[in-house]
Amino acid sequence: MIKAIHQSTLGSWLRCGESFRRRYIEGEIIPPGIAARRGSGAHKAAEVNHRQKIKSGIDLPLGDLKDAARDEYMRLIKEEGVFLTKEELPSKDQILNDGLNQTIQATEIYREEIAPKIQPVRVEEKITIEVPGISMPISGTLDAEDDKGFIQDLKVMKRKDQDWANREPQVGFYYLLRRGSVGDWPTGFKYQFVIPNKEMVHEEITTYRNKQQIQVLFRYIQQFLKDLKEGNFKPADPGHYICSSDYCGYWNSCPYTS
């Protein structure tokens, strides 16, 4: 039973109502793909660094962060698994090894190009708040907030542009959480992207939200709650890349595939 709205829950509903239903309503949990495990490993290294940097003001040595990233990547693979397609299974060992190498590379980029620019004041803070006009609490974890009031979010993923960042619901969601927690809006939101090309590169995108954009997010949340109440879970666009056996663990048993 869903007791609070999380950004990840809302995102899952937006991408595909059917996979949302099976994951969050029916409890059919299928592990994510290697890209998610890679991102989680690098994210853990950033968390470890940010936590101690609040007091020390100094970034940890790269070796320490590599160890943290490697340990988290391996823990997730061992304890929670990873989704691989039938075509990928024969190359499982190579895929897992490549994923680990990319996790380490992403951590190197974080330590060299991102970490020195961030002095965190809050890290991995879990927040649950009541929002007037929304019948269910919203909840989430702020990755990090810096000393200038910017929410910082590290992502290891394909290149995104400014338009994507300006429309991404996650930003407004975390604006609400931050305001509900400390009483005012953040200065802004900074995406720190590590883009996994042959040679990983770092790009930063800063985005902001105004009251009108927050109202748009409210409309999404209200529609989500309406669908949840009515049991209305629309499938993904069949032409979208996520609606394929390569990306969806529910593909083989989904009533909307052939």
Side-chain angles (χ1 to χ4, degrees):
M1 180 179 179
I2 297 174
K3 297 181 179 180
I5 307 170
H6 295 257
Q7 181 272 329
S8 58
T9 312
L10 190 68
S12 175
W13 166 77
L14 283 168
R15 287 189 297 274
C16 176
E18 175 62 14
S19 65
F20 164 83
R21 180 188 69 81
R22 295 181 65 172
R23 168 64 178 82
Y24 292 99
I25 305 300
E26 301 299 331
E28 297 180 41
I29 300 176
I30 292 179
I34 199 72
R37 296 308 188 209
R38 175 184 65 198
S40 294
H43 187 275
K44 186 64 176 181
E47 176 191 343
V48 168
N49 187 54
H50 288 155
R51 284 193 184 281
Q52 65 81 36
K53 193 175 180 180
I54 290 177
K55 293 183 178 180
S56 73
I58 301 171
D59 292 307
L60 288 172
L62 176 58
D64 292 355
L65 300 187
K66 284 183 176 181
D67 288 344
R70 179 185 299 106
D71 290 348
E72 180 68 2
Y73 176 88
M74 298 303 294
R75 183 190 71 79
L76 289 171
I77 296 295
K78 180 180 179 180
E79 296 181 7
E80 300 182 18
V82 62
F83 171 70
L84 298 173
T85 66
K86 289 182 179 179
E87 291 74 19
E88 291 174 326
L89 285 175
S91 304
K92 178 180 178 180
D93 290 345
Q94 184 63 52
I95 290 171
L96 294 180
N97 187 62
D98 290 345
L100 176 58
N101 290 335
Q102 291 176 341
T103 299
I104 298 303
Q105 292 169 20
T107 301
E108 291 173 348
I109 294 291
Y110 161 76
R111 176 60 180 84
E112 294 169 5
E113 301 186 27
I114 301 173
K117 301 190 299 182
I118 300 172
Q119 176 52 53
V121 295
R122 306 165 76 195
V123 178
E124 292 296 314
E125 184 172 332
K126 295 182 179 180
I127 302 170
T128 299
I129 62 171
E130 301 282 349
V131 179
I134 297 176
S135 61
M136 187 180 292
I138 70 169
S139 184
T141 303
L142 262 64
D143 291 352
E145 181 182 332
D146 67 23
D147 57 351
K148 297 178 179 62
F150 283 92
I151 296 171
Q152 298 276 350
D153 187 41
L154 175 66
K155 290 192 178 298
V156 183
M157 61 188 298
K158 293 180 180 180
R159 179 175 276 104
K160 299 293 184 179
D161 60 18
Q162 187 70 53
D163 184 62
W164 174 89
N166 290 344
R167 300 191 66 194
E168 173 59 32
Q170 177 190 18
V171 178
F173 202 91
Y174 281 81
Y175 260 59
L176 288 173
L177 289 175
R178 203 268 191 177
R179 188 185 191 195
S181 174
V182 301
D184 58 5
W185 302 108
T187 304
F189 193 104
K190 290 182 180 288
Y191 279 110
Q192 304 292 348
F193 290 104
V194 177
I195 301 165
N197 298 323
K198 285 186 177 180
E199 292 186 6
M200 288 194 172
V201 295
H202 165 233
E203 290 186 4
E204 178 181 288
I205 297 181
T206 303
T207 186
Y208 304 89
R209 292 295 181 270
N210 56 38
K211 290 183 179 179
Q212 181 180 354
Q213 291 168 312
I214 296 296
Q215 287 301 315
V216 171
L217 175 62
F218 273 24
R219 296 185 193 110
Y220 276 107
I221 293 175
Q222 294 291 7
Q223 185 61 51
F224 165 77
L225 291 170
K226 182 174 184 290
D227 285 359
L228 190 63
K229 181 179 180 180
E230 297 176 353
N232 181 24
F233 306 112
K234 297 179 181 179
D237 177 351
H240 197 284
Y241 76 88
I242 66 167
C243 191
S244 70
S245 59
D246 290 340
Y247 289 91
C248 181
Y250 302 105
W251 171 268
N252 291 328
S253 58
C254 179
Y256 299 101
T257 61
S258 57

